[in-house]
Amino acid sequence: MPNLRKIEAAVPAIREKKKVAAYARVSMQSERMLHSLSAQVSYYSGLIQKNPDWEYAGVYADDFISGTNTVKRDEFKRMLADCEAGKIDIILTKSISRFARNTVDLLETVRRLKDLGVEVRFEKERIRSMDGDGELMLTILASFAQEESRSISDNVKWGIRKRMQNGIPNGHFRIYGYRWEGDELVIVPEEAEIVKRIFQNFLDGKSRLETERELAAEGITTRDGCRWVDSNIKVVLTNVTYTGNLLLQKEFISDPISKQRKKNRGELPQYYVEDTHPAIIDKATFDFVQEEMARRRELGALANKSLNTSCFTGKIKCPYCGQSYMHNKRTDRGDMEFWNCGSKKKKKKGTGCPVGGTINHKNMVKVCTEVLGLDKFDEAIFLEKVDHIDVPERYTLEFHMADGCVVTKDCLNTGHRDCWTPERRAEVSMKRRKNGTNPIGASCFTGKIKCVSCGCNFRKATRNCKDGSKVSHWRCAEHNGCDSPSLREDLLEQMAAEVLGLDAFDAAAFREKIDRVEVLSSSELRFCFKDGRTVSRNWQPPERVGRPWTEEQRAKFKESIKGAYTPERRRQMSEHMKQLRKERGDKWRKEK
C-alpha cells in the first residue's frame, strides 16, 4: 500500500514593521531657519508614513540649539530615552552636522544606540551606523563637522572683534541702572540711585558686607527681585560702564566646543570706548574706588571693619592648605578663644587640613611674648618683628621673623582644661545632680537610679539582640569593683508601675512621685517617694535564654574547626604538650 503524506499550505510570515523616528535641528534663530526646521519635520513625517514597512515613531526637533554638545538639547535627550525604552528601531537625520558637531558626542551616542540595536541613517553622507565601515566614515566626517563648527565660530568672532574695534558692543547686554532704547543705553533713575548709594557706602569706608545688610534691611532687591549679595555689589563697584564709557571684550569663549567662558586677563585685546552713554558715576570717583579696593585687598581681612580682627589676623598660615587661620570663640564652656585653619569652612570631601587641631589663643600670646623677649605682649612690636607664623604640625608654631630668622616653639592646646574653673565645676555639678548626666535624650530614670554601695548614678546602655531588636539596660557608672546588677528597662518599668499602683507605667507619674530609686544590693531595690515614704522590692534578673544551634550552624562550625587544625598547627600543639609534660611531670594536667 503506497505511503501518503499531507503537505500543509505554507502560512506567509507577517513582517514586523520597523519603528522609525527622525531628528532635526537648527542652531540659529531666524525666520529662514524656522522655515527650515518646519520643512525638515514635514519631510520626515511624510517619508516615514509613506513607507509600508515602517511604523511612524515621531520626529524630534531642537530649535535654535548648538550641536557642539547635548546638554541643552531636550528633544535629543528625549529621543535617546525612547530608544532605551525600545520605542525606536531606526533614526533618520539629514546629516552628521545636524546630529552632532562634537566628534566625541557623536561616536558615543552612535555606539550607545548600536548596543541597543538602533540604527542611525545619515541621508546626506549616505551612512548607516550598522554597516561595517559606518563608524570609520562617521569618525572622519564628524571631525570635518567639528572643524566646520570651529571655522564658523572663528568667523563669528572675527566679525564681533571688527565691530568692537569700531566701538560697537556685542549685543544688548544687561546692566543694572540702565535699559536699552534701540541702540542707546538710557539711565533708569530709581536703579541709578541704588548704584550711587553702593559707591557712596564704599567711599564712606563701609564694607560690601555692611552694604549688603543695609540693602536687605530696607527690602531693596536687584532687578530680578533677588537679594543684593557681596558678588553683585562687587560687580557694580568694578563695572566701568557706570562712568559713561564701555570696555569691550572683558570676557571671551576659549573653546567653541565646550563653550567655556573666561575672563580676559590679557589673552586678547580689549577696546575702551569713551562717552558712549550718560554716566551715573564720574570717572575720578570710579578710579578712586578701584584704588581703594586694591588697598583693601592687600590688607586682607584687616580692611574689613565688620570682622573681629586682631594683630594675629592674616599672620597665622597653614603651609599645606595655603589658608590663614581664623579666630573663633566658644561661650558654652567659658570664654574659650582659639584659631583653626580656614580650610575647615570648605565642605568638599578631602579638603580638610592635614595638620588639624586648634591653637589656643592665650597660650599663643604667651609663646609670642617669649619669642619676642618681652615681659608683656605688645601688638605693635609683634606686627613689626613677625612676618608670619606657619603651623607645620599640630601644636607647633614656626615664627618667620621680619629679619629672616625662623623660631620654632610648641604651643599646646589647653583650652578645655583651662575652662574647668572651680566656679564652672560647681555649676556643672549642680546641673547634673538636678537634670542627670545626659539631659539631651534623657528619660524619666535619668539621674533617679542611685547605687548605694559606690554612690554613683546609673547610666543607660543599649544592647543589640540576635533577632535584630534592641534592649535598654541601666548600669552603675562605676565599672570597676561595683557588683550592682544591670537593670533591664522594661522590667524596671513594670516594677515601678506596681509600686505606683498603676496598670501601666506612666513616666509623668514616676517623675512627679518618685524622688529616687536606690539599688541596695544585687537583689534589692528601694523606691523613695518625694513625700518620704519608701517601698522595697526584690529584683530578679531575667534568665538568659539561648537559642539552639541549627544543623547548618553546627556543620559550619565543624568545617571551621577542621580548617583551623592544619598540619602545622597540630605539630605546634604536639610540641607544646610535650613541653608541658616535661615541665610538670606526672601532674601535667591542671587540677580542677
Side-chain angles (χ1 to χ4, degrees), residues 497-551:
E498 181 186 338
V499 170
L500 292 169
L502 303 174
D503 296 331
F505 178 71
D506 188 340
F510 181 86
R511 286 194 182 95
E512 181 184 352
K513 295 182 179 181
I514 302 295
D515 180 64
R516 64 189 182 278
V517 179
E518 295 179 345
V519 182
L520 303 178
S521 66
S522 60
S523 60
E524 188 178 2
L525 306 182
R526 183 165 59 205
F527 291 80
C528 300
F529 286 75
K530 290 184 177 180
D531 59 5
R533 293 183 300 117
T534 60
V535 177
S536 297
R537 284 288 186 272
N538 290 327
W539 173 262
Q540 294 181 353
E543 295 183 4
R544 298 187 64 180
V545 180
R547 291 188 301 172
W549 280 20
T550 63
E551 292 300 324

Side-chain angles (χ1 to χ4, degrees), residues 173-180 185 191 223 239 241-242:
F173 53 85
R174 291 187 69 194
I175 178 169
Y176 187 83
Y178 291 97
R179 69 171 183 270
W180 287 94
L185 277 174
E191 293 182 357
R223 183 179 295 173
N239 198 335
T241 308
Y242 292 114

Side-chain angles (χ1 to χ4, degrees), residues 1 8 14 65 124 200 207 233 242 331 350 393 556 566:
M1 185 176 179
E8 299 288 346
I14 299 174
I65 303 292
K124 181 180 177 181
Q200 189 59 51
S207 67
I233 297 170
Y242 292 114
T331 56
E393 57 186 69
K556 186 177 180 180
T566 60

Side-chain angles (χ1 to χ4, degrees), residues 570-585 588-590:
R570 291 178 184 277
R571 187 185 62 78
Q572 290 177 355
M573 290 185 66
S574 178
E575 293 295 330
H576 179 65
M577 294 305 298
K578 288 177 182 177
Q579 185 66 25
L580 284 179
R581 291 189 184 100
K582 185 177 179 181
E583 292 175 357
R584 300 178 183 176
W588 63 273
R589 289 188 176 88
K590 286 186 178 180

Side-chain angles (χ1 to χ4, degrees), residues 435-466:
N435 302 323
T437 57
N438 183 24
I440 300 175
S443 76
C444 61
F445 294 117
T446 303
K448 295 274 191 179
I449 309 174
K450 312 288 184 180
C451 180
V452 173
S453 61
C454 64
C456 291
N457 284 344
F458 270 48
R459 292 180 180 176
K460 188 176 181 178
T462 305
R463 189 185 70 193
N464 294 322
C465 299
K466 291 182 179 180

Side-chain angles (χ1 to χ4, degrees), residues 210-317:
E210 287 176 302
T211 300
E212 175 187 334
R213 291 170 178 167
E214 185 179 302
L215 296 176
E218 297 179 24
I220 299 172
T221 61
T222 64
R223 183 179 295 173
D224 295 328
C226 300
R227 176 190 170 109
W228 279 98
V229 295
D230 178 80
S231 57
N232 304 90
I233 297 170
K234 182 181 178 182
V235 168
V236 170
L237 291 172
T238 56
N239 198 335
V240 73
T241 308
Y242 292 114
T243 63
N245 308 306
L246 287 178
L247 181 62
L248 305 180
Q249 198 156 248
K250 291 187 284 188
E251 293 181 339
F252 66 97
I253 294 176
S254 59
D255 184 13
I257 304 301
S258 65
K259 298 287 193 276
Q260 183 181 6
R261 185 177 291 274
K262 291 178 63 177
K263 212 167 214 181
N264 188 358
R265 303 186 187 276
E267 294 91 342
L268 294 174
Q270 292 182 327
Y271 306 96
Y272 187 74
V273 190
E274 297 182 341
D275 301 326
T276 58
H277 55 279
I280 296 176
I281 303 296
D282 63 87
K283 188 66 166 60
T285 300
F286 180 82
D287 290 341
F288 179 79
V289 167
Q290 306 316 302
E291 292 172 6
E292 177 63 14
M293 288 183 75
R295 187 189 71 83
R296 294 187 189 183
R297 193 181 306 116
E298 186 69 25
L299 286 174
L302 294 173
N304 193 341
K305 295 188 306 170
S306 61
L307 299 178
N308 184 19
T309 59
S310 71
C311 63
F312 297 108
T313 304
K315 286 280 190 180
I316 312 169
K317 304 288 185 181

